[in-house]
Amino acid sequence: GFVVINPDSNPISTHTVVMPGTYSSAQNGQTLTMAFANTVTTLTQSGAGSDTVNGALSTGNSTQSTSWIYYKNAAINSGNGVWYRVI
């Protein structure tokens, strides 16, 4: 998937992104690329429910795009999913 964060103002001071989770059909190996149309000076990024994000961003700007891959294995991490930052 691909998402563009495009706030109404530039820069925007704060924004929160909740990554797709198990309940919204995130699948093992699913990728998500995020790009920014404007600057976000304080960005909060988290997983949905008990999922986590490895390599969460704290800011965003128009020169930046980043991708994550989702992995969930019941035998590790208490069965919770993890979004791993890959670029």
Side-chain angles (χ1 to χ4, degrees):
F2 186 83
V3 63
V4 176
I5 307 298
N6 189 8
D8 290 340
S9 62
N10 186 21
I12 187 170
S13 59
T14 61
H15 191 71
T16 300
V17 174
V18 179
M19 302 293 277
T22 302
Y23 300 111
S24 61
S25 302
Q27 301 293 316
N28 277 337
Q30 178 178 340
T31 60
L32 186 133
T33 300
M34 186 183 311
F36 297 86
N38 294 316
T39 299
V40 179
T41 54
T42 303
L43 180 66
T44 303
Q45 187 179 6
S46 65
S50 59
D51 290 350
T52 58
V53 179
N54 183 345
L57 299 175
S58 58
T59 62
N61 62 62
S62 61
T63 63
Q64 179 179 20
S65 68
T66 307
S67 294
W68 289 265
I69 189 166
Y70 185 78
Y71 180 71
K72 182 173 182 169
N73 184 329
I76 61 170
N77 198 28
S78 302
N80 299 322
V82 180
W83 285 97
Y84 291 97
R85 187 172 169 180
V86 291
I87 57 170

